[in-house]
Amino acid sequence: MTIKHKHEHNKIKQTKIGANMAKSAKVVVVTSGKGGVGKTTTSASFATGLALRGFKTVVIDFDIGLRNLDLIMGCERRVVYDFVNVINGEATLYQAMIKDKSCDNLFLLAAAQTKDKDALTEEGVERVINELKQEFDYIVCDSPAGIEKGAFMALYFADEALVVTNPEVSSVRDSDRILGILASKSKRAVNGEEKVKEHMVVTRYNPERVESGDMLSIDDIKDILRIPVLGVVPESKDVLQASNTGTPAINLHGTNVSEAYIDIVARFLGEDKPMRFTTVEKKGLLKRIFGGN
């Protein structure tokens, strides 16, 4: 069933969705093979977008020791207990989860700043996820880059995966390694269940640089990874502004980056949206004469 939504002055309106719409909680991992590709930015905006569409959503930071998600979501000062505290029984989920100030349906479970990567255990993570499934429609797992233990734990319980990549050879190659792990080491793979549903999100895309041969094209990336493209996020200084102000990029209303993440959420929910931001914008006469973006 397609969920219709309206945009008024480029703002996302919260849509009330009946409890019977959500068949069961879904675990979505946001992952990448390489660091610095915009994965945590994508996690924050994707989770926010789901929540703004009426789904009760929690986003978990699995990056033990390098806690960043709370900064991007603007709630770092409100972190008292974290994911590891809950796993160790030092706090309950309700003590540790932080409710977003601007969206009633959105919650965050922050990463611990401990350096002990073994703090996440399979049994502990599974217990927390199972408890969250009783209350939430979507559990978004923000994975560390690469294949360390935190990354493995983030993807192990996934039902679906957003693989974030930049349009460069090294990033795409490392994403291919992540796809191999999802296909062979996820819980679904181990149990012989239906495979994790994979989606590709291409960030920092610049069509002009693609035309000049400095970046891989969307078609190049699709040829290498062989998974559907969920969306393209254009290269933009707005992403840095969002990070610096503790605002998920999807909330920068009226920007191309916000619109790109709105499209990504809509396509994830099954809506048919044309792929934007993949071609060079043709400037009108006034822009050619006077310049401007």
Side-chain angles (χ1 to χ4, degrees), residues 5-18:
H5 68 295
K6 297 179 181 178
H7 295 289
E8 181 179 317
H9 303 299
N10 291 318
K11 292 182 180 179
I12 306 171
K13 295 262 185 173
Q14 291 194 27
T15 305
K16 296 296 181 183
I17 299 173

Side-chain angles (χ1 to χ4, degrees), residues 44 47-48 51 57-59 73 98-100 103-108:
T48 300
T57 305
V58 59
V59 56
M73 295 185 71
I98 299 169
K99 185 177 181 180
D100 188 83
C103 181
D104 288 342
N105 292 321
L106 182 61
F107 294 78
L108 164 72

Side-chain angles (χ1 to χ4, degrees), residues 220-269:
D220 292 334
I221 299 170
K222 281 170 29 178
D223 285 344
I224 296 168
L225 297 182
R226 302 283 179 176
I227 62 172
V229 178
L230 190 64
V232 174
V233 181
E235 189 173 48
S236 173
K237 61 186 178 184
D238 292 324
V239 174
L240 181 60
Q241 178 197 334
S243 297
N244 287 341
T245 56
T247 305
I250 197 170
N251 285 338
L252 296 180
H253 306 300
T255 66
N256 285 346
V257 170
S258 172
E259 292 297 311
Y261 280 117
I262 290 169
D263 285 356
I264 285 169
V265 172
R267 290 191 199 99
F268 180 83
L269 294 175

Side-chain angles (χ1 to χ4, degrees), residues 53-72:
R53 293 294 297 272
F55 293 99
K56 193 168 185 182
T57 305
V58 59
V59 56
I60 309 174
D61 191 345
F62 276 78
D63 202 350
I64 303 301
L66 294 173
R67 195 168 77 197
N68 284 316
L69 185 61
D70 54 309
L71 290 169
I72 287 179

Side-chain angles (χ1 to χ4, degrees), residues 11 20 23 45 70 93 157 164 185 195 275 277 291 293:
K11 292 182 180 179
N20 60 341
K23 296 177 183 177
S45 288
D70 54 309
L93 262 176
F157 297 99
V164 183
K185 293 189 175 182
K195 64 176 286 190
M275 195 68 68
F277 315 115
N293 297 322

Side-chain angles (χ1 to χ4, degrees), residues 16 40 57 59 81 88 102 107 109 129 140 151-152 155 173 177 195 212 216-217 228 243 245 272 285 290 292:
K16 296 296 181 183
T40 298
T57 305
V59 56
Y81 294 110
N88 291 340
S102 60
F107 294 78
L109 187 54
I129 286 178
V140 178
F152 175 77
L155 65 81
R173 181 193 61 202
R177 294 174 65 202
K195 64 176 286 190
S212 65
L216 296 176
S217 70
S243 297
T245 56
D272 187 16
L285 179 61
F290 298 105

Side-chain angles (χ1 to χ4, degrees), residues 69-89:
L69 185 61
D70 54 309
L71 290 169
I72 287 179
M73 295 185 71
C75 59
E76 70 278 7
R77 294 171 186 259
R78 297 166 59 202
V79 176
V80 178
Y81 294 110
D82 56 50
F83 192 13
V84 172
N85 291 141
V86 176
I87 287 176
N88 291 340

Side-chain angles (χ1 to χ4, degrees), residues 151-284:
F152 175 77
M153 287 295 171
L155 65 81
Y156 183 72
F157 297 99
D159 298 308
E160 301 197 34
L162 269 58
V163 181
V164 183
T165 188
N166 289 161
E168 57 180 60
V169 173
S170 62
S171 179
V172 174
R173 181 193 61 202
D174 289 346
S175 294
D176 209 15
R177 294 174 65 202
I178 295 298
L179 291 173
I181 293 171
L182 283 166
S184 61
K185 293 189 175 182
S186 66
K187 186 177 181 182
R188 284 176 170 266
V190 171
N191 292 342
E193 299 170 2
E194 184 180 355
K195 64 176 286 190
V196 175
K197 187 175 182 181
E198 300 157 342
H199 312 271
M200 178 166 56
V201 174
V202 182
T203 56
R204 296 181 182 167
Y205 197 75
N206 185 326
E208 292 181 348
R209 292 181 64 189
V210 171
E211 281 197 359
S212 65
D214 295 332
M215 275 186 175
L216 296 176
S217 70
I218 295 299
D219 287 338
D220 292 334
I221 299 170
K222 281 170 29 178
D223 285 344
I224 296 168
L225 297 182
R226 302 283 179 176
I227 62 172
V229 178
L230 190 64
V232 174
V233 181
E235 189 173 48
S236 173
K237 61 186 178 184
D238 292 324
V239 174
L240 181 60
Q241 178 197 334
S243 297
N244 287 341
T245 56
T247 305
I250 197 170
N251 285 338
L252 296 180
H253 306 300
T255 66
N256 285 346
V257 170
S258 172
E259 292 297 311
Y261 280 117
I262 290 169
D263 285 356
I264 285 169
V265 172
R267 290 191 199 99
F268 180 83
L269 294 175
E271 298 175 21
D272 187 16
K273 290 280 183 182
M275 195 68 68
R276 298 192 278 172
F277 315 115
T278 60
T279 57
V280 177
E281 180 186 352
K282 288 183 171 57
K283 292 186 177 181

